[in-house]
Amino acid sequence: MNKMTTYSLALLVVLSILAGCGKEEAVPSTSPTASATTTATPNTATSTTSPVTTATASPQTSTKPVQSPSASPKTSSTPSKSDGLQVIAKPESVTVLVNKQFSLPSSYEPTDLVYPDIPFTFAEKIEKRKMRSVAAEAIEKLVAGAKKDGINIAGVSAYRSYATQKSLFQRYVQKDGEEKAKMYSAVPGTSEHETGLAIDVSGSDGKCAAEDCFGGTKEANWLEKHVQEYGFVIRYPKGKEKITGYQYEPWHIRYVGVDTAKDMVAKKMTMEEYYNAVPVSK
């Protein structure tokens, strides 16, 4: 019996020890939780505010890149006007392309405007007589060359300021509506007259000045054959309306320089085609 008692007691001791070991292994199961909490919040005083500050700062930081791109288009669109027009960087260039896509700055005014020594269909010495000096010299030669061939050319309208073009365009809109006005008149900033390099011409009698009936006249026929010799092109030729965005205007000539003009005429190209800026929408 003593042996049995001893064996039983020993068995009880072993079982007690094993049960105690099982309780010790249960402690690590809660330990990682406490450990993780301690790692994330090493200091209870700071851990309460630290995650909040981080969480709050993180969304604010993430919104900054969103605001930056939205601000960028505004910056880029500022010089290109509300209707998507691109503002020309070098408006003083003799070959500057001005049309329904490319606009002069509203503040642009040529610094070398002069009065060309040619006859005009009006007597007043006003703004629309002026041209840039290089174009003025060229138009004088053109008028003299035409006269030698028995053709009398007179100026109708040359330079216009932004303010003048704005007033003129608004008048046409009131008369014919915006859609129709845009076929024969330019939105302010997009008129070649604002460059000081373009001029509308007619016969010296002023008949059919800036009107469709000018086409087919002896003056119009002479211009079509000879303008490039003096550095001009007929800016809005027949059959190119969908490219230029304007109706045929045999009276509107534009100075681009002799070499460029001759090359354009030889290739039968508009400025849009020549400078690979096609098409221009109406």
Side-chain angles (χ1 to χ4, degrees), residues 116-154:
D117 186 15
I118 64 168
F120 275 81
T121 56
F122 54 91
E124 299 82 8
K125 202 169 185 180
I126 53 179
E127 179 187 85
K128 65 179 183 178
R129 268 184 179 265
K130 294 181 179 181
M131 295 188 78
R132 287 185 57 184
S133 57
V134 64
E137 184 179 347
I139 198 66
E140 289 173 355
K141 291 177 180 178
L142 182 149
V143 170
K147 194 170 184 177
K148 285 181 181 178
D149 292 339
I151 304 296
N152 296 311
I153 300 288

Side-chain angles (χ1 to χ4, degrees), residues 228-248:
Q228 70 275 12
E229 299 167 15
Y230 303 92
F232 289 90
V233 293
I234 295 173
R235 182 65 178 89
Y236 308 119
K238 186 180 289 187
K240 300 282 189 175
E241 293 85 353
K242 289 184 178 179
I243 294 174
T244 64
Y246 291 105
Q247 65 181 37
Y248 171 46

